[in-house]
Structure formats: structure tokens, C-alpha cells
Amino acid sequence: MADDGAELERVLGAWGPLLRRLTWAYERDAAAREDLLQEIHLALWRALPRFRGECAERTFVLRVAHNRAITHTFRRPPRAAALDAAQEVADPRPGPENEAAAAQRRERLLAALHRLPLAARQILTLHLEGLSGREIAELLGVTENNANVRLSRARGALEAELGGKDRP
Amino acid sequence: MSERTVDRNGEWRALTEAWAATDDAEGAEVATPHGALDSLRRRAERQRRRQIAVAVLEWLLFAGLLVLTVVVLRGGAAAWELIWLASLWGFTAVAMGFAWWNRRATWRAAGVALDDYVRLARLRAERQLRTVRFVLALFAVEVIVVVAQLAWFDRLVPAAVAALAAAAAVIVSWCVVTRRRLDRDLSRIDAFRRNAH
């Protein structure tokens, strides 16, 4: 493997927060999330020398990261998966009222996301990151129409999970 | 724009803001410090060492088979030894041919589209499942051939039977464990694809 440490640092400088948020869609446990993040960084390190600019850098980074995360989730031991599904995260941090409310909204969103199937979670996180239907379609490798149908279904499922009065 | 659309857009803005805040929840490091890069290098090095170990083991097994062949042939091989060696090389050739054939079209780049990646993940799991079936079938045929040879040359001694039984136990255990893991992986992949489409 070529030592592209500088290139990786640049990419993580640009997309690090995006990748960290992405891990929340796959893992609720902090240690498992950190482990997944390392796996993603490693996958990026290996993949970057092969990037020829066929798509936007963000698209490439997201593809590598989601693909790595999918493998991570498929191979996760059943016990870890069960624990993950059962886990409800409470935010113990004290703080001003609006900060607490924001934390509560975040936790409600994450809990609702984790009650959804992985495929729905994946497309929703892309949407929450602000990707357009066309960008999501490019990432998934499907038509824009198909991506919009999937997204609409996933949004409906998330809204149902959040429930009318529980919406942030 | 209807009132409902405005309402939903507002809700989604709030959701997007809540999502963006997940990054702050852990006091995230935005850039990768050199320490993290070192940790990545160590992880990559561990993986590389594991891959080298597997490759070395494969070459050692092959070298062992070569040495065994030379030793047997140099000592003036008996008829049963020649037949045994021929069948050993035959089985090795079949196994290597299968490994090469079974791996075709399964290489996947990390940066391919997500749907293609999941399709390839399924293909790889199917191929691994095929490997399990192949290993069991090959071993069964091998046992039949070896037992027939030993019986024909009147060399079916208890030690040979015990060795075959031990090998069978190891292979069957590996097949059961691997099959269970692959069934679990496949059901997860299929559930993902069902929900995605």
C-alpha cells in the first residue's frame, strides 16, 4: 500500500465530520463506532490512490465509507447486533435548556433511525447530509427516479417512527 | 407551496440540524492527527502480516507436498505409493483449479456504487458457500479413494483410520461453523436488498 498519509489527512480534514456522523447510522455503541471509523479510514487510505476523479470526491468518500460500513454490519456478531438494537441512548450531559432540547431531538432522531432497516437508514443519512436525489442516485448506482422512490419510502418510515407529536 | 409542504420542510430542516449535531456529540476531531495516522499504519501493518502469513502457509504446504514426492520417488516407490502420490497431486490440482474458478468476478473496488457493492457481497458469500460444499465433496471422494487404495494394498491399519477420522472431524467442524456464518451473512444481505428495493 502506498503511503498516502498526507492525502488521507487532507481528505479527512475535508470529510472527517461527515464520516463520523455516518458511523452513527450503523453503530450506537461508542467503542464500536470508533472501531468502524478506523475501518473506514483504512479503507479510504487504500482506495484513495485509485480515485481518478470519475465522480465528486464527496461521492467517492461516501461510497467507500458506506461500503465498508455495510460489510462491518453484515459481519457483526449476532450478540452485538441484538445489543445494538436494544440500546436506547440517553444524554446525561447537563446544560442550558436549549442545549438539552437539542440533545433530546438528536437522540430521538437516532433512536428512530436505528429502528429502521439498514437500507432505509443508509439513504436517510445521505438525505440528511444534504445530498440531492441525483447525488444519491449516483452513489447508489440507480436511476434518479428509483433513488427518489426509495427516499420517499424511507422518509415516510422515519416520520412514522418519530410519530406526529414526537417530531423534532 | 402548500401549508403541509412548508410544515414538512420545516420538520426536515430540524431533523437535518439534529443530524448535523451528532458530530458534536462526541467532541469529534475534525482532522486526523498524526497519532491517528500511526494507529492506522499499525492496523494496516497487522493486516499485511496476516496476509503474508496465509500466503507463506500456502507455499509451505505446496513445498511440503513437493518434498514428500521427491522423498518417496527417490527411495524407489512401491506401486501403492505411486498411486497414492498420483491421487494426492490430482486432488491438489482439482482444489487449486476450483479456487481459481470460484474467485472469478468477485473482486470489488471499495469505491463502487452501493448497490453494486451489496450485489458483489452476495456473490462472494454464495461463492464461499460453494467452497464449503466443494470441500466436503472433495474430502468425501478423497476418503473413498484413499480407503479403497489402502484396503487394496492391505494397509488399512488403525493409525490410518484414526488419521482419516481426525481429518474428517476438523473439516466437518470448519464446514459447519463457516456454513452457519455464511447463512447469517446471506440472510442479512437479502434483508438489506429486500428493504432497499
Side-chain angles (χ1 to χ4, degrees), chain A residues 66-110:
Chain A
H66 275 289
N67 286 339
R68 187 60 245 166
I70 289 171
T71 303
H72 171 91
T73 312
F74 287 160
R75 295 197 176 151
R76 200 159 48 159
R79 193 175 159 273
L83 278 174
D84 178 57
Q87 197 173 9
E88 286 291 333
V89 177
D91 191 337
R93 293 178 307 161
E97 198 176 310
N98 57 351
E99 197 180 312
Q104 199 182 20
R105 270 202 299 274
R106 189 180 61 238
E107 292 309 332
R108 211 174 270 171
L109 170 64
L110 288 172

mmCIF file of all heavy atoms in Angstrom, chain A residues 66-110:
data_model
loop_
_atom_site.group_PDB
_atom_site.id
_atom_site.type_symbol
_atom_site.label_atom_id
_atom_site.label_comp_id
_atom_site.label_asym_id
_atom_site.label_seq_id
_atom_site.Cartn_x
_atom_site.Cartn_y
_atom_site.Cartn_z
ATOM 1 N N HIS A 66 -19.624 3.966 3.144
ATOM 2 C CA HIS A 66 -20.845 3.164 3.292
ATOM 3 C C HIS A 66 -20.574 1.699 2.947
ATOM 4 O O HIS A 66 -21.098 0.804 3.613
ATOM 5 C CB HIS A 66 -21.963 3.715 2.404
ATOM 6 C CG HIS A 66 -22.733 4.830 3.047
ATOM 7 N ND1 HIS A 66 -23.599 4.625 4.105
ATOM 8 C CD2 HIS A 66 -22.768 6.148 2.803
ATOM 9 C CE1 HIS A 66 -24.132 5.777 4.466
ATOM 10 N NE2 HIS A 66 -23.635 6.729 3.697
ATOM 11 N N ASN A 67 -19.777 1.462 1.923
ATOM 12 C CA ASN A 67 -19.472 0.077 1.564
ATOM 13 C C ASN A 67 -18.742 -0.628 2.710
ATOM 14 O O ASN A 67 -19.020 -1.773 3.042
ATOM 15 C CB ASN A 67 -18.626 0.030 0.284
ATOM 16 C CG ASN A 67 -19.451 0.348 -0.951
ATOM 17 O OD1 ASN A 67 -20.669 0.227 -0.920
ATOM 18 N ND2 ASN A 67 -18.809 0.752 -2.026
ATOM 19 N N ARG A 68 -17.792 0.082 3.311
ATOM 20 C CA ARG A 68 -17.066 -0.505 4.441
ATOM 21 C C ARG A 68 -18.026 -0.764 5.615
ATOM 22 O O ARG A 68 -17.983 -1.789 6.272
ATOM 23 C CB ARG A 68 -15.955 0.473 4.864
ATOM 24 C CG ARG A 68 -14.987 -0.014 5.904
ATOM 25 C CD ARG A 68 -14.254 -1.234 5.454
ATOM 26 N NE ARG A 68 -14.613 -2.347 6.312
ATOM 27 C CZ ARG A 68 -14.360 -3.609 6.057
ATOM 28 N NH1 ARG A 68 -13.747 -3.975 4.950
ATOM 29 N NH2 ARG A 68 -14.720 -4.551 6.876
ATOM 30 N N ALA A 69 -18.908 0.210 5.845
ATOM 31 C CA ALA A 69 -19.841 0.097 6.973
ATOM 32 C C ALA A 69 -20.837 -1.041 6.755
ATOM 33 O O ALA A 69 -21.226 -1.725 7.707
ATOM 34 C CB ALA A 69 -20.582 1.417 7.159
ATOM 35 N N ILE A 70 -21.235 -1.244 5.502
ATOM 36 C CA ILE A 70 -22.166 -2.345 5.201
ATOM 37 C C ILE A 70 -21.502 -3.682 5.518
ATOM 38 O O ILE A 70 -22.082 -4.542 6.172
ATOM 39 C CB ILE A 70 -22.595 -2.295 3.705
ATOM 40 C CG1 ILE A 70 -23.527 -1.112 3.475
ATOM 41 C CG2 ILE A 70 -23.302 -3.580 3.306
ATOM 42 C CD1 ILE A 70 -23.821 -0.865 2.011
ATOM 43 N N THR A 71 -20.269 -3.854 5.059
ATOM 44 C CA THR A 71 -19.541 -5.092 5.351
ATOM 45 C C THR A 71 -19.426 -5.279 6.859
ATOM 46 O O THR A 71 -19.639 -6.377 7.378
ATOM 47 C CB THR A 71 -18.122 -5.043 4.728
ATOM 48 O OG1 THR A 71 -18.280 -4.811 3.338
ATOM 49 C CG2 THR A 71 -17.360 -6.334 4.936
ATOM 50 N N HIS A 72 -19.092 -4.211 7.547
ATOM 51 C CA HIS A 72 -18.957 -4.240 9.007
ATOM 52 C C HIS A 72 -20.271 -4.718 9.641
ATOM 53 O O HIS A 72 -20.273 -5.557 10.539
ATOM 54 C CB HIS A 72 -18.605 -2.826 9.480
ATOM 55 C CG HIS A 72 -18.631 -2.634 10.952
ATOM 56 N ND1 HIS A 72 -17.518 -2.807 11.749
ATOM 57 C CD2 HIS A 72 -19.643 -2.285 11.799
ATOM 58 C CE1 HIS A 72 -17.840 -2.561 13.001
ATOM 59 N NE2 HIS A 72 -19.117 -2.241 13.054
ATOM 60 N N THR A 73 -21.391 -4.217 9.141
ATOM 61 C CA THR A 73 -22.696 -4.567 9.722
ATOM 62 C C THR A 73 -23.098 -5.994 9.376
ATOM 63 O O THR A 73 -23.617 -6.712 10.235
ATOM 64 C CB THR A 73 -23.778 -3.585 9.204
ATOM 65 O OG1 THR A 73 -23.280 -2.260 9.355
ATOM 66 C CG2 THR A 73 -25.065 -3.727 9.974
ATOM 67 N N PHE A 74 -22.848 -6.417 8.139
ATOM 68 C CA PHE A 74 -23.202 -7.782 7.745
ATOM 69 C C PHE A 74 -22.430 -8.815 8.568
ATOM 70 O O PHE A 74 -22.936 -9.898 8.842
ATOM 71 C CB PHE A 74 -22.895 -8.018 6.258
ATOM 72 C CG PHE A 74 -23.843 -7.327 5.309
ATOM 73 C CD1 PHE A 74 -23.479 -7.094 3.997
ATOM 74 C CD2 PHE A 74 -25.103 -6.914 5.724
ATOM 75 C CE1 PHE A 74 -24.347 -6.461 3.115
ATOM 76 C CE2 PHE A 74 -25.974 -6.275 4.852
ATOM 77 C CZ PHE A 74 -25.587 -6.054 3.545
ATOM 78 N N ARG A 75 -21.209 -8.476 8.935
ATOM 79 C CA ARG A 75 -20.348 -9.461 9.610
ATOM 80 C C ARG A 75 -20.375 -9.335 11.117
ATOM 81 O O ARG A 75 -19.669 -10.073 11.810
ATOM 82 C CB ARG A 75 -18.908 -9.319 9.119
ATOM 83 C CG ARG A 75 -18.824 -9.681 7.669
ATOM 84 C CD ARG A 75 -17.431 -9.965 7.237
ATOM 85 N NE ARG A 75 -17.435 -10.406 5.852
ATOM 86 C CZ ARG A 75 -16.436 -10.225 5.027
ATOM 87 N NH1 ARG A 75 -15.355 -9.633 5.457
ATOM 88 N NH2 ARG A 75 -16.505 -10.661 3.789
ATOM 89 N N ARG A 76 -21.152 -8.415 11.626
ATOM 90 C CA ARG A 76 -21.192 -8.192 13.061
ATOM 91 C C ARG A 76 -21.741 -9.439 13.762
ATOM 92 O O ARG A 76 -22.708 -10.036 13.285
ATOM 93 C CB ARG A 76 -22.104 -7.002 13.332
ATOM 94 C CG ARG A 76 -21.901 -6.351 14.648
ATOM 95 C CD ARG A 76 -22.436 -4.959 14.637
ATOM 96 N NE ARG A 76 -23.792 -4.890 14.063
ATOM 97 C CZ ARG A 76 -24.615 -3.899 14.298
ATOM 98 N NH1 ARG A 76 -24.221 -2.906 15.053
ATOM 99 N NH2 ARG A 76 -25.805 -3.868 13.765
ATOM 100 N N PRO A 77 -21.143 -9.829 14.911
ATOM 101 C CA PRO A 77 -21.685 -10.986 15.618
ATOM 102 C C PRO A 77 -23.130 -10.725 16.029
ATOM 103 O O PRO A 77 -23.477 -9.577 16.333
ATOM 104 C CB PRO A 77 -20.790 -11.108 16.857
ATOM 105 C CG PRO A 77 -19.614 -10.257 16.594
ATOM 106 C CD PRO A 77 -20.014 -9.231 15.600
ATOM 107 N N PRO A 78 -23.983 -11.782 16.059
ATOM 108 C CA PRO A 78 -25.400 -11.581 16.370
ATOM 109 C C PRO A 78 -25.630 -10.919 17.726
ATOM 110 O O PRO A 78 -26.541 -10.138 17.900
ATOM 111 C CB PRO A 78 -25.965 -13.005 16.375
ATOM 112 C CG PRO A 78 -24.964 -13.837 15.679
ATOM 113 C CD PRO A 78 -23.642 -13.171 15.808
ATOM 114 N N ARG A 79 -24.771 -11.224 18.698
ATOM 115 C CA ARG A 79 -24.954 -10.674 20.044
ATOM 116 C C ARG A 79 -24.814 -9.145 20.021
ATOM 117 O O ARG A 79 -25.610 -8.428 20.611
ATOM 118 C CB ARG A 79 -23.927 -11.276 21.008
ATOM 119 C CG ARG A 79 -24.255 -10.998 22.450
ATOM 120 C CD ARG A 79 -23.290 -11.716 23.379
ATOM 121 N NE ARG A 79 -23.306 -11.060 24.683
ATOM 122 C CZ ARG A 79 -22.546 -10.036 25.008
ATOM 123 N NH1 ARG A 79 -21.713 -9.547 24.137
ATOM 124 N NH2 ARG A 79 -22.617 -9.501 26.214
ATOM 125 N N ALA A 80 -23.807 -8.682 19.284
ATOM 126 C CA ALA A 80 -23.580 -7.233 19.181
ATOM 127 C C ALA A 80 -24.754 -6.557 18.492
ATOM 128 O O ALA A 80 -25.179 -5.475 18.881
ATOM 129 C CB ALA A 80 -22.303 -6.957 18.398
ATOM 130 N N ALA A 81 -25.314 -7.241 17.480
ATOM 131 C CA ALA A 81 -26.446 -6.676 16.755
ATOM 132 C C ALA A 81 -27.659 -6.551 17.673
ATOM 133 O O ALA A 81 -28.375 -5.557 17.659
ATOM 134 C CB ALA A 81 -26.774 -7.554 15.556
ATOM 135 N N ALA A 82 -27.889 -7.583 18.503
ATOM 136 C CA ALA A 82 -29.039 -7.570 19.408
ATOM 137 C C ALA A 82 -28.893 -6.469 20.456
ATOM 138 O O ALA A 82 -29.841 -5.742 20.750
ATOM 139 C CB ALA A 82 -29.175 -8.923 20.083
ATOM 140 N N LEU A 83 -27.676 -6.343 20.992
ATOM 141 C CA LEU A 83 -27.413 -5.303 21.995
ATOM 142 C C LEU A 83 -27.637 -3.928 21.397
ATOM 143 O O LEU A 83 -28.240 -3.058 22.003
ATOM 144 C CB LEU A 83 -25.960 -5.398 22.476
ATOM 145 C CG LEU A 83 -25.668 -6.419 23.553
ATOM 146 C CD1 LEU A 83 -24.162 -6.477 23.789
ATOM 147 C CD2 LEU A 83 -26.392 -6.082 24.846
ATOM 148 N N ASP A 84 -27.157 -3.805 20.163
ATOM 149 C CA ASP A 84 -27.275 -2.524 19.471
ATOM 150 C C ASP A 84 -28.734 -2.142 19.274
ATOM 151 O O ASP A 84 -29.132 -1.009 19.487
ATOM 152 C CB ASP A 84 -26.576 -2.634 18.117
ATOM 153 C CG ASP A 84 -26.702 -1.364 17.318
ATOM 154 O OD1 ASP A 84 -26.284 -0.333 17.846
ATOM 155 O OD2 ASP A 84 -27.234 -1.410 16.210
ATOM 156 N N ALA A 85 -29.557 -3.140 18.890
ATOM 157 C CA ALA A 85 -30.969 -2.858 18.629
ATOM 158 C C ALA A 85 -31.690 -2.474 19.915
ATOM 159 O O ALA A 85 -32.609 -1.659 19.905
ATOM 160 C CB ALA A 85 -31.614 -4.092 18.010
ATOM 161 N N ALA A 86 -31.251 -3.077 21.021
ATOM 162 C CA ALA A 86 -31.948 -2.849 22.285
ATOM 163 C C ALA A 86 -31.523 -1.544 22.945
ATOM 164 O O ALA A 86 -32.233 -1.001 23.786
ATOM 165 C CB ALA A 86 -31.674 -4.015 23.227
ATOM 166 N N GLN A 87 -30.346 -1.047 22.526
ATOM 167 C CA GLN A 87 -29.778 0.099 23.230
ATOM 168 C C GLN A 87 -30.557 1.390 22.997
ATOM 169 O O GLN A 87 -30.887 1.735 21.876
ATOM 170 C CB GLN A 87 -28.335 0.297 22.746
ATOM 171 C CG GLN A 87 -27.543 1.160 23.659
ATOM 172 C CD GLN A 87 -26.080 1.167 23.216
ATOM 173 O OE1 GLN A 87 -25.748 0.673 22.162
ATOM 174 N NE2 GLN A 87 -25.240 1.724 24.023
ATOM 175 N N GLU A 88 -30.887 2.053 24.035
ATOM 176 C CA GLU A 88 -31.506 3.370 23.939
ATOM 177 C C GLU A 88 -30.540 4.357 24.571
ATOM 178 O O GLU A 88 -30.169 4.229 25.731
ATOM 179 C CB GLU A 88 -32.831 3.398 24.718
ATOM 180 C CG GLU A 88 -33.953 2.661 24.025
ATOM 181 C CD GLU A 88 -34.426 3.356 22.757
ATOM 182 O OE1 GLU A 88 -34.277 4.591 22.673
ATOM 183 O OE2 GLU A 88 -34.917 2.669 21.864
ATOM 184 N N VAL A 89 -30.124 5.326 23.798
ATOM 185 C CA VAL A 89 -29.118 6.245 24.314
ATOM 186 C C VAL A 89 -29.786 7.413 25.037
ATOM 187 O O VAL A 89 -30.646 8.080 24.480
ATOM 188 C CB VAL A 89 -28.232 6.782 23.173
ATOM 189 C CG1 VAL A 89 -27.231 7.796 23.699
ATOM 190 C CG2 VAL A 89 -27.532 5.633 22.492
ATOM 191 N N ALA A 90 -29.389 7.623 26.258
ATOM 192 C CA ALA A 90 -29.858 8.799 26.980
ATOM 193 C C ALA A 90 -28.707 9.769 27.094
ATOM 194 O O ALA A 90 -27.563 9.358 27.266
ATOM 195 C CB ALA A 90 -30.327 8.391 28.364
ATOM 196 N N ASP A 91 -28.983 11.029 26.967
ATOM 197 C CA ASP A 91 -27.908 12.013 27.051
ATOM 198 C C ASP A 91 -27.809 12.516 28.488
ATOM 199 O O ASP A 91 -28.696 13.224 28.965
ATOM 200 C CB ASP A 91 -28.192 13.169 26.092
ATOM 201 C CG ASP A 91 -26.958 14.061 25.957
ATOM 202 O OD1 ASP A 91 -26.106 14.068 26.871
ATOM 203 O OD2 ASP A 91 -26.857 14.744 24.943
ATOM 204 N N PRO A 92 -26.745 12.161 29.198
ATOM 205 C CA PRO A 92 -26.657 12.530 30.605
ATOM 206 C C PRO A 92 -26.082 13.923 30.823
ATOM 207 O O PRO A 92 -25.987 14.378 31.947
ATOM 208 C CB PRO A 92 -25.695 11.470 31.151
ATOM 209 C CG PRO A 92 -24.799 11.161 29.996
ATOM 210 C CD PRO A 92 -25.582 11.422 28.747
ATOM 211 N N ARG A 93 -25.680 14.611 29.756
ATOM 212 C CA ARG A 93 -24.960 15.869 29.939
ATOM 213 C C ARG A 93 -25.885 16.981 30.430
ATOM 214 O O ARG A 93 -26.962 17.184 29.877
ATOM 215 C CB ARG A 93 -24.313 16.304 28.624
ATOM 216 C CG ARG A 93 -23.209 15.380 28.170
ATOM 217 C CD ARG A 93 -22.663 15.837 26.858
ATOM 218 N NE ARG A 93 -23.725 15.994 25.882
ATOM 219 C CZ ARG A 93 -23.611 16.719 24.779
ATOM 220 N NH1 ARG A 93 -22.505 17.371 24.543
ATOM 221 N NH2 ARG A 93 -24.603 16.805 23.924
ATOM 222 N N PRO A 94 -25.438 17.669 31.451
ATOM 223 C CA PRO A 94 -26.228 18.802 31.887
ATOM 224 C C PRO A 94 -25.995 19.974 30.933
ATOM 225 O O PRO A 94 -25.086 19.942 30.120
ATOM 226 C CB PRO A 94 -25.652 19.112 33.270
ATOM 227 C CG PRO A 94 -24.238 18.648 33.193
ATOM 228 C CD PRO A 94 -24.195 17.523 32.205
ATOM 229 N N GLY A 95 -26.758 21.008 31.024
ATOM 230 C CA GLY A 95 -26.532 22.154 30.155
ATOM 231 C C GLY A 95 -27.744 23.036 30.108
ATOM 232 O O GLY A 95 -28.757 22.731 30.709
ATOM 233 N N PRO A 96 -27.638 24.125 29.358
ATOM 234 C CA PRO A 96 -28.774 25.027 29.214
ATOM 235 C C PRO A 96 -29.961 24.291 28.601
ATOM 236 O O PRO A 96 -29.786 23.278 27.919
ATOM 237 C CB PRO A 96 -28.261 26.116 28.276
ATOM 238 C CG PRO A 96 -26.799 25.935 28.203
ATOM 239 C CD PRO A 96 -26.483 24.548 28.592
ATOM 240 N N GLU A 97 -31.120 24.880 28.786
ATOM 241 C CA GLU A 97 -32.346 24.196 28.364
ATOM 242 C C GLU A 97 -32.357 23.890 26.870
ATOM 243 O O GLU A 97 -32.716 22.793 26.452
ATOM 244 C CB GLU A 97 -33.542 25.068 28.731
ATOM 245 C CG GLU A 97 -34.860 24.305 28.737
ATOM 246 C CD GLU A 97 -35.996 25.194 29.195
ATOM 247 O OE1 GLU A 97 -35.843 25.834 30.248
ATOM 248 O OE2 GLU A 97 -37.001 25.251 28.486
ATOM 249 N N ASN A 98 -31.928 24.888 26.062
ATOM 250 C CA ASN A 98 -31.988 24.665 24.608
ATOM 251 C C ASN A 98 -30.980 23.608 24.161
ATOM 252 O O ASN A 98 -31.226 22.849 23.225
ATOM 253 C CB ASN A 98 -31.805 25.978 23.828
ATOM 254 C CG ASN A 98 -30.510 26.663 24.164
ATOM 255 O OD1 ASN A 98 -29.806 26.252 25.100
ATOM 256 N ND2 ASN A 98 -30.198 27.715 23.419
ATOM 257 N N GLU A 99 -29.871 23.533 24.871
ATOM 258 C CA GLU A 99 -28.876 22.506 24.532
ATOM 259 C C GLU A 99 -29.430 21.119 24.854
ATOM 260 O O GLU A 99 -29.256 20.166 24.089
ATOM 261 C CB GLU A 99 -27.599 22.747 25.335
ATOM 262 C CG GLU A 99 -26.397 22.013 24.759
ATOM 263 C CD GLU A 99 -25.146 22.271 25.572
ATOM 264 O OE1 GLU A 99 -24.874 23.441 25.867
ATOM 265 O OE2 GLU A 99 -24.478 21.294 25.910
ATOM 266 N N ALA A 100 -30.101 21.042 25.988
ATOM 267 C CA ALA A 100 -30.712 19.769 26.388
ATOM 268 C C ALA A 100 -31.797 19.373 25.396
ATOM 269 O O ALA A 100 -31.920 18.200 25.026
ATOM 270 C CB ALA A 100 -31.293 19.893 27.787
ATOM 271 N N ALA A 101 -32.567 20.350 24.946
ATOM 272 C CA ALA A 101 -33.633 20.062 23.975
ATOM 273 C C ALA A 101 -33.033 19.578 22.664
ATOM 274 O O ALA A 101 -33.543 18.635 22.045
ATOM 275 C CB ALA A 101 -34.471 21.311 23.744
ATOM 276 N N ALA A 102 -31.924 20.214 22.263
ATOM 277 C CA ALA A 102 -31.257 19.803 21.015
ATOM 278 C C ALA A 102 -30.734 18.377 21.145
ATOM 279 O O ALA A 102 -30.855 17.571 20.208
ATOM 280 C CB ALA A 102 -30.118 20.764 20.698
ATOM 281 N N ALA A 103 -30.165 18.081 22.319
ATOM 282 C CA ALA A 103 -29.644 16.736 22.551
ATOM 283 C C ALA A 103 -30.775 15.722 22.517
ATOM 284 O O ALA A 103 -30.625 14.625 21.979
ATOM 285 C CB ALA A 103 -28.921 16.689 23.892
ATOM 286 N N GLN A 104 -31.905 16.112 23.071
ATOM 287 C CA GLN A 104 -33.057 15.217 23.096
ATOM 288 C C GLN A 104 -33.561 14.943 21.665
ATOM 289 O O GLN A 104 -33.876 13.804 21.317
ATOM 290 C CB GLN A 104 -34.162 15.844 23.936
ATOM 291 C CG GLN A 104 -35.200 14.843 24.405
ATOM 292 C CD GLN A 104 -36.290 15.538 25.203
ATOM 293 O OE1 GLN A 104 -36.473 16.748 25.108
ATOM 294 N NE2 GLN A 104 -36.998 14.765 25.995
ATOM 295 N N ARG A 105 -33.597 16.002 20.867
ATOM 296 C CA ARG A 105 -34.028 15.850 19.472
ATOM 297 C C ARG A 105 -33.095 14.893 18.727
ATOM 298 O O ARG A 105 -33.534 14.020 17.989
ATOM 299 C CB ARG A 105 -34.000 17.210 18.765
ATOM 300 C CG ARG A 105 -35.304 17.999 18.860
ATOM 301 C CD ARG A 105 -35.382 19.013 17.727
ATOM 302 N NE ARG A 105 -34.301 19.987 17.772
ATOM 303 C CZ ARG A 105 -34.326 21.107 18.491
ATOM 304 N NH1 ARG A 105 -35.372 21.381 19.249
ATOM 305 N NH2 ARG A 105 -33.323 21.947 18.471
ATOM 306 N N ARG A 106 -31.793 15.096 18.991
ATOM 307 C CA ARG A 106 -30.791 14.258 18.331
ATOM 308 C C ARG A 106 -30.976 12.790 18.721
ATOM 309 O O ARG A 106 -30.966 11.907 17.879
ATOM 310 C CB ARG A 106 -29.395 14.757 18.731
ATOM 311 C CG ARG A 106 -28.283 14.110 17.951
ATOM 312 C CD ARG A 106 -26.945 14.641 18.384
ATOM 313 N NE ARG A 106 -26.666 14.370 19.786
ATOM 314 C CZ ARG A 106 -26.395 15.282 20.706
ATOM 315 N NH1 ARG A 106 -26.359 16.546 20.375
ATOM 316 N NH2 ARG A 106 -26.140 14.934 21.958
ATOM 317 N N GLU A 107 -31.165 12.560 20.006
ATOM 318 C CA GLU A 107 -31.323 11.190 20.485
ATOM 319 C C GLU A 107 -32.581 10.553 19.937
ATOM 320 O O GLU A 107 -32.604 9.368 19.609
ATOM 321 C CB GLU A 107 -31.344 11.155 22.017
ATOM 322 C CG GLU A 107 -30.018 11.524 22.652
ATOM 323 C CD GLU A 107 -28.847 10.733 22.077
ATOM 324 O OE1 GLU A 107 -29.048 9.595 21.624
ATOM 325 O OE2 GLU A 107 -27.724 11.269 22.064
ATOM 326 N N ARG A 108 -33.651 11.351 19.847
ATOM 327 C CA ARG A 108 -34.911 10.830 19.305
ATOM 328 C C ARG A 108 -34.736 10.442 17.828
ATOM 329 O O ARG A 108 -35.222 9.414 17.385
ATOM 330 C CB ARG A 108 -35.985 11.903 19.463
ATOM 331 C CG ARG A 108 -37.359 11.316 19.656
ATOM 332 C CD ARG A 108 -38.342 12.409 19.952
ATOM 333 N NE ARG A 108 -38.447 12.652 21.385
ATOM 334 C CZ ARG A 108 -39.106 13.677 21.895
ATOM 335 N NH1 ARG A 108 -39.678 14.551 21.113
ATOM 336 N NH2 ARG A 108 -39.198 13.827 23.203
ATOM 337 N N LEU A 109 -34.019 11.283 17.108
ATOM 338 C CA LEU A 109 -33.760 11.006 15.691
ATOM 339 C C LEU A 109 -32.936 9.724 15.549
ATOM 340 O O LEU A 109 -33.262 8.846 14.744
ATOM 341 C CB LEU A 109 -33.017 12.189 15.049
ATOM 342 C CG LEU A 109 -32.466 11.952 13.649
ATOM 343 C CD1 LEU A 109 -33.595 11.693 12.647
ATOM 344 C CD2 LEU A 109 -31.631 13.142 13.175
ATOM 345 N N LEU A 110 -31.870 9.623 16.359
ATOM 346 C CA LEU A 110 -31.002 8.443 16.264
ATOM 347 C C LEU A 110 -31.757 7.176 16.637
ATOM 348 O O LEU A 110 -31.613 6.142 15.986
ATOM 349 C CB LEU A 110 -29.776 8.617 17.165
ATOM 350 C CG LEU A 110 -28.750 9.636 16.676
ATOM 351 C CD1 LEU A 110 -27.686 9.874 17.742
ATOM 352 C CD2 LEU A 110 -28.098 9.156 15.388
#
